[in-house]
Each structure stands twice: as structure tokens, then as C-alpha cells.
Amino acid sequence: MTARNQVTPKLGAHMSIAGGVDLAIERGVSIGCEAVQIFLKNATQWRGRNISGTEARRFRDLRKCSGNVPVFAHASYLINLGVENPRSVAALVDEIERADLLGVPFIVLHPGSHLGAGETAGLTCVARNLDEVFAATASSKVRIALETTAGQGSCLGHRFEHLAEIIRRVEQPKRLAVCVDTCHLFAAGYDIRTRGGYEMVMKQLDGLPVVAFHLNDSKKPFGSRVDRHEHIGKGFLGLEAFRCVLRDARWRGLPMVLETPKGEDMREDVENLRVLRSLTFPSTRRM
Ligand SMILES: [Zn+2]
Ligand SMILES: [Zn+2]
């Protein structure tokens, strides 16, 4: 196990927190996840049920029992730091407090949408809002991992330069990191379908503090700027891109999770994880 962890990323999937956050770990472990992404509350509602002390304790205990499987969070889709919006700032502060309670190290966040104000104004706004969020959670170690986006509508974050600009502008850049989504990259116009294309794209990414990947194929063609996830190898992205990511020494040990459609029995995750593992170096494969 140790040998494998040294040379391959930790593969897993986004898990539902229905019934309690601790159940997400149970669900993930039950299908062989080596990493788990969760929401810290219902992702489509502003207000979420509080996480009780007991629930947080169960979560931490279960994580320990599972060999400290890496767990990180994805922020609510309602949060938009690309415009002036105190509600979004408050919601992200709340999510950081939840992450602290659970011992979750970072929260993946879509940088935001400028809603017509333009990219420069939008990026300035994101940085200013993040400064406010970090000031309100000064004692927290939780980082915000800005996600590369597909660039739908006025969404920011579909160019690496956007993420670099936000990191440059904030007062506490160390509290920021980056999460790369393969489907979003491809939809945004970064062609990682071939080894050569992949290397060129990753060179542009160089210097950004990548802490996680979302491994999704794309239902939409290259450069569509539409965000629709497909099962691994079943979309326009194809298997070679995933082979490149999984064998890249730069991402050794990083958590990488699926965000692909699935039913309650998670059969689809099992199959996607099997496909992904078949693409890792043969010597590191887990049977
Ligand atoms: Zn994603
Ligand atoms: Zn997406």
C-alpha cells in the first residue's frame, strides 16, 4: 500500500453527506475510495443544518479508522465572490468554520461570475471578498482551492491567468490553492487529449499550488465552454488525458476525485475507479 501511495494519486469520488457527514466516509470506503470530496451542507441552499459536536466527532473517528483517508470539501454553488455580495462572504465563512470543525484542510470553490461587469472587475472583486473571508477566519488553517472552470457565461477561472491573478491580489495568498478539473480544462479550451497537448497545458499551469484534481470526462466537445461531466473514457476527452494525469510525477499522492453521474449503489463510481486504476503505471496498480 505504501509503495502505491508514493507513486500514484489517491483516487476517489464525491460522496453524499445524506444522513450525516460521517456517512460520506463510510460510503467512500465501502467502494474503495482513497480520497473523498464532500459538501459541508446542502450545496443548493443558503442555510444548512448545523454539524453537531457528536457528528463531528464521529466523522473524525471514522476518518482515523479508515487510515486517514484524505477528505476535502466543495463549496456551495450559490456562493459567488465575483460580485459584491455580503451573503456569499458570510456563507463561505460559515463553510470554513464547518471545515475547521471536521478537520477538513481545504474547500474547493468556483472563483465566481462577474455577471457582466467584466473579467478585471470580477477578479478584483473575488480577491477583495476573499480578503474579507480570510480576515473573518483569521485563526483557521483551512485553505480555499480555486477550481479551474469551464467558462460558462460570465464565469471566471477558465484561464490559469485568472487564478494566478486572484492569488497575486489577495493579502494572504498562502490560504489559496488550486483544484484542476479535467472536464473544465477541456471545455475551456485547454487540449489535454494527447501527451503533447497535455504537457503544453501543464507547463502553463506551472507555479500554481495544485492540491487536488477532479477527474471527469466531458459530455461536450473541445472548447464548448459548457460544463457537463461524463464517465471516464465515455466522453470527448478520452482515456489518454487521464493516463497522462495519473502517471504524472508532479501529482504524486494528490487526492483526485470523480464528480460523474451516479445512482444510489454507486456502481458507476466503481466502474470509473476501475478504469482510472487501469491507466496508472502497471507496477503501482491496486487489484
Ligand atoms: Zn469539478
Ligand atoms: Zn463541472
Side-chain angles (χ1 to χ4, degrees), residues 74 110 147 179 181 184 214 216 229 259:
H74 193 298
H110 296 191
E147 180 170 359
C179 173
D181 185 308
H184 299 174
H214 288 163
N216 304 306
H229 301 181
E259 297 179 312

PDB file of all heavy atoms in Angstrom, residues 74 110 147 179 181 184 214 216 229 259, ligand 1:
ATOM      1  N   HIS A  74     -16.199  20.669  -1.123  1.00  0.00           N
ATOM      2  CA  HIS A  74     -16.560  21.533  -2.252  1.00  0.00           C
ATOM      3  C   HIS A  74     -17.590  22.527  -1.736  1.00  0.00           C
ATOM      4  O   HIS A  74     -18.551  22.143  -1.076  1.00  0.00           O
ATOM      5  CB  HIS A  74     -17.139  20.697  -3.396  1.00  0.00           C
ATOM      6  CG  HIS A  74     -17.246  21.447  -4.697  1.00  0.00           C
ATOM      7  ND1 HIS A  74     -18.035  22.564  -4.845  1.00  0.00           N
ATOM      8  CD2 HIS A  74     -16.651  21.257  -5.895  1.00  0.00           C
ATOM      9  CE1 HIS A  74     -17.912  23.021  -6.090  1.00  0.00           C
ATOM     10  NE2 HIS A  74     -17.077  22.246  -6.746  1.00  0.00           N
ATOM     11  N   HIS A 110     -15.538  27.497  -6.928  1.00  0.00           N
ATOM     12  CA  HIS A 110     -15.528  28.139  -8.243  1.00  0.00           C
ATOM     13  C   HIS A 110     -15.304  29.622  -7.968  1.00  0.00           C
ATOM     14  O   HIS A 110     -16.030  30.200  -7.148  1.00  0.00           O
ATOM     15  CB  HIS A 110     -16.852  27.924  -8.967  1.00  0.00           C
ATOM     16  CG  HIS A 110     -17.128  26.482  -9.268  1.00  0.00           C
ATOM     17  ND1 HIS A 110     -18.139  26.064 -10.094  1.00  0.00           N
ATOM     18  CD2 HIS A 110     -16.519  25.346  -8.853  1.00  0.00           C
ATOM     19  CE1 HIS A 110     -18.137  24.744 -10.181  1.00  0.00           C
ATOM     20  NE2 HIS A 110     -17.170  24.292  -9.423  1.00  0.00           N
ATOM     21  N   GLU A 147     -11.067  26.522  -8.212  1.00  0.00           N
ATOM     22  CA  GLU A 147     -11.188  25.485  -9.248  1.00  0.00           C
ATOM     23  C   GLU A 147     -11.113  26.091 -10.646  1.00  0.00           C
ATOM     24  O   GLU A 147     -11.667  27.154 -10.902  1.00  0.00           O
ATOM     25  CB  GLU A 147     -12.517  24.727  -9.073  1.00  0.00           C
ATOM     26  CG  GLU A 147     -12.694  23.629 -10.114  1.00  0.00           C
ATOM     27  CD  GLU A 147     -13.883  22.713  -9.825  1.00  0.00           C
ATOM     28  OE1 GLU A 147     -14.572  22.912  -8.807  1.00  0.00           O
ATOM     29  OE2 GLU A 147     -14.105  21.805 -10.644  1.00  0.00           O
ATOM     30  N   CYS A 179      -7.552  23.687  -7.549  1.00  0.00           N
ATOM     31  CA  CYS A 179      -8.083  22.359  -7.889  1.00  0.00           C
ATOM     32  C   CYS A 179      -8.312  22.335  -9.400  1.00  0.00           C
ATOM     33  O   CYS A 179      -8.977  23.211  -9.943  1.00  0.00           O
ATOM     34  CB  CYS A 179      -9.387  22.104  -7.145  1.00  0.00           C
ATOM     35  SG  CYS A 179     -10.218  20.578  -7.666  1.00  0.00           S
ATOM     36  N   ASP A 181      -9.877  20.668 -12.717  1.00  0.00           N
ATOM     37  CA  ASP A 181     -10.943  19.774 -13.189  1.00  0.00           C
ATOM     38  C   ASP A 181     -10.677  19.459 -14.662  1.00  0.00           C
ATOM     39  O   ASP A 181     -10.637  20.361 -15.501  1.00  0.00           O
ATOM     40  CB  ASP A 181     -12.300  20.461 -13.005  1.00  0.00           C
ATOM     41  CG  ASP A 181     -13.469  19.559 -13.352  1.00  0.00           C
ATOM     42  OD1 ASP A 181     -13.460  18.986 -14.458  1.00  0.00           O
ATOM     43  OD2 ASP A 181     -14.392  19.429 -12.529  1.00  0.00           O
ATOM     44  N   HIS A 184     -13.445  20.572 -17.111  1.00  0.00           N
ATOM     45  CA  HIS A 184     -13.486  22.031 -17.249  1.00  0.00           C
ATOM     46  C   HIS A 184     -12.327  22.543 -18.110  1.00  0.00           C
ATOM     47  O   HIS A 184     -12.527  23.435 -18.941  1.00  0.00           O
ATOM     48  CB  HIS A 184     -13.433  22.707 -15.874  1.00  0.00           C
ATOM     49  CG  HIS A 184     -14.583  22.343 -14.975  1.00  0.00           C
ATOM     50  ND1 HIS A 184     -14.653  22.752 -13.670  1.00  0.00           N
ATOM     51  CD2 HIS A 184     -15.702  21.616 -15.209  1.00  0.00           C
ATOM     52  CE1 HIS A 184     -15.774  22.277 -13.130  1.00  0.00           C
ATOM     53  NE2 HIS A 184     -16.412  21.581 -14.039  1.00  0.00           N
ATOM     54  N   HIS A 214     -10.204  17.106 -10.029  1.00  0.00           N
ATOM     55  CA  HIS A 214     -11.498  16.496 -10.303  1.00  0.00           C
ATOM     56  C   HIS A 214     -11.327  15.748 -11.612  1.00  0.00           C
ATOM     57  O   HIS A 214     -10.969  16.353 -12.625  1.00  0.00           O
ATOM     58  CB  HIS A 214     -12.586  17.563 -10.478  1.00  0.00           C
ATOM     59  CG  HIS A 214     -12.974  18.223  -9.203  1.00  0.00           C
ATOM     60  ND1 HIS A 214     -13.665  19.410  -9.161  1.00  0.00           N
ATOM     61  CD2 HIS A 214     -12.786  17.842  -7.909  1.00  0.00           C
ATOM     62  CE1 HIS A 214     -13.894  19.734  -7.896  1.00  0.00           C
ATOM     63  NE2 HIS A 214     -13.365  18.810  -7.116  1.00  0.00           N
ATOM     64  N   ASN A 216     -13.058  14.133 -14.449  1.00  0.00           N
ATOM     65  CA  ASN A 216     -14.323  13.975 -15.157  1.00  0.00           C
ATOM     66  C   ASN A 216     -14.051  13.997 -16.649  1.00  0.00           C
ATOM     67  O   ASN A 216     -13.239  14.793 -17.107  1.00  0.00           O
ATOM     68  CB  ASN A 216     -15.269  15.138 -14.832  1.00  0.00           C
ATOM     69  CG  ASN A 216     -15.511  15.295 -13.332  1.00  0.00           C
ATOM     70  OD1 ASN A 216     -15.907  14.348 -12.666  1.00  0.00           O
ATOM     71  ND2 ASN A 216     -15.274  16.493 -12.810  1.00  0.00           N
ATOM     72  N   HIS A 229     -20.339  16.815 -17.093  1.00  0.00           N
ATOM     73  CA  HIS A 229     -19.427  15.711 -16.795  1.00  0.00           C
ATOM     74  C   HIS A 229     -19.902  14.404 -17.424  1.00  0.00           C
ATOM     75  O   HIS A 229     -21.089  14.116 -17.432  1.00  0.00           O
ATOM     76  CB  HIS A 229     -19.301  15.519 -15.285  1.00  0.00           C
ATOM     77  CG  HIS A 229     -18.799  16.743 -14.577  1.00  0.00           C
ATOM     78  ND1 HIS A 229     -18.590  16.780 -13.222  1.00  0.00           N
ATOM     79  CD2 HIS A 229     -18.432  17.966 -15.044  1.00  0.00           C
ATOM     80  CE1 HIS A 229     -18.145  17.981 -12.877  1.00  0.00           C
ATOM     81  NE2 HIS A 229     -18.053  18.716 -13.959  1.00  0.00           N
ATOM     82  N   GLU A 259     -16.490  13.298 -10.198  1.00  0.00           N
ATOM     83  CA  GLU A 259     -17.754  14.032  -9.984  1.00  0.00           C
ATOM     84  C   GLU A 259     -18.693  13.669 -11.121  1.00  0.00           C
ATOM     85  O   GLU A 259     -19.258  14.534 -11.782  1.00  0.00           O
ATOM     86  CB  GLU A 259     -17.517  15.537 -10.012  1.00  0.00           C
ATOM     87  CG  GLU A 259     -16.621  16.071  -8.929  1.00  0.00           C
ATOM     88  CD  GLU A 259     -16.429  17.569  -9.056  1.00  0.00           C
ATOM     89  OE1 GLU A 259     -16.140  18.034 -10.167  1.00  0.00           O
ATOM     90  OE2 GLU A 259     -16.583  18.270  -8.043  1.00  0.00           O
TER      91      GLU A 259
HETATM   92 ZN    ZN B   1     -15.186  19.973 -10.525  1.00  0.00          ZN
END
